[in-house]
Amino acid sequence: MARRPSGRGGWEWSRTAQTRRTMLEAAREVFCAHGFADAAISEVVERAGSSVGSLYHHFGGKTELFLALWEEHEGAHEKAATASVAEAKKAGVDDPVELFIAGARAFLAGSWERRDLARLFMDGDGPPGFDLMRRTRRRDWVRQNAVLLALGGEAIDRLTVAVLTTVIGEAGREVATSEDEAEAQEIMDAAIELIRRFDRAAAS
């Protein structure tokens, strides 16, 4: 049985969280159907059963609502990848490339599970400054992968990390636009095989 929040403050927090969740779900439907530019706040609040005033109170506006969806999507990617890498380490995996692959598989799986959002964010139809935010996030992703792959700071190392990160990013795009799960799985397997081939070639 779910534990009820204690006290008035607990109930208020619960209602606020539920309101935000309902708005995000409605925004996901509207943005994915129309894109950012053509999405109407009025349709979001209608689907959410809320009001424009409530939406602006919780998110500040259309741009902030879009970015909240993006942050949640990216956070889900990071959480899944981190958990997969931790699980692989717990199972005794210590090869950096195999740990990278564990994280990559989680990322690609998320690209299929949330393919509507993946397609939305890859289309380039976002608020002003969104492209810069995506580039900044990608640089952070490259740095995280450099640590995971235990590579140094030489030019060849930096290029290796950039190439492998790009492979996973592009594979994620292909996965998100796949016709069905079987095709998506083929792309995931191909991406992992490509990483392993790259690793073998670099080691030879």
Side-chain angles (χ1 to χ4, degrees):
M1 179 180 295
R3 183 179 180 183
R4 293 184 176 183
S6 58
R8 182 178 175 183
W11 280 115
E12 290 176 350
W13 180 88
S14 179
R15 286 196 298 271
T16 297
Q18 182 58 46
T19 298
R20 286 178 60 88
R21 171 50 41 202
T22 301
M23 286 183 178
L24 282 172
E25 290 172 355
R28 178 175 181 170
E29 294 174 2
V30 175
F31 282 132
C32 289
H34 304 295
F36 174 78
D38 294 332
I41 286 296
S42 58
E43 184 175 355
V44 174
V45 297
E46 181 180 354
R47 292 196 185 205
S50 187
S51 68
V52 173
S54 181
L55 185 146
Y56 277 89
H57 170 73
H58 287 285
F59 291 99
K62 179 177 170 179
T63 292
E64 291 81 3
L65 189 58
F66 181 91
L67 294 179
L69 272 178
W70 179 64
E71 289 290 353
E72 188 172 80
H73 177 63
E74 291 294 309
H77 271 320
E78 290 189 19
K79 182 178 179 180
T82 298
S84 292
V85 171
E87 186 176 345
K89 288 181 177 179
K90 187 176 180 180
V93 177
D94 57 8
D95 184 302
V97 172
E98 290 302 318
L99 292 175
F100 175 80
I101 286 173
R105 284 192 184 278
F107 173 87
L108 295 175
S111 296
W112 172 251
E113 292 166 5
R114 299 183 303 282
R115 52 194 177 278
D116 57 335
L117 290 174
R119 290 194 295 264
L120 170 66
F121 299 134
M122 75 170 72
D123 283 343
D125 177 21
F130 182 54
D131 282 341
L132 177 60
M133 293 179 68
R134 289 193 302 181
R135 290 196 297 271
T136 300
R137 182 64 61 89
R138 185 183 183 280
R139 286 195 294 270
D140 291 340
W141 189 20
V142 170
R143 284 194 290 269
Q144 291 169 3
N145 287 339
V147 173
L148 185 59
L149 288 163
L151 293 175
E154 296 185 6
I156 188 64
D157 297 323
R158 295 197 304 272
L159 185 57
T160 295
V161 177
V163 167
L164 293 180
T165 301
T166 299
V167 166
I168 297 305
E170 291 303 311
R173 289 172 175 267
E174 294 297 319
V175 164
T177 55
S178 294
E179 291 293 330
D180 52 42
E181 189 171 1
E183 181 182 345
Q185 189 60 57
E186 287 183 9
I187 293 169
M188 293 182 206
D189 293 341
I192 299 308
E193 177 59 24
L194 185 58
I195 293 169
R196 289 200 171 110
R197 288 185 185 183
F198 187 91
D199 181 52
R200 289 195 295 269
S204 62

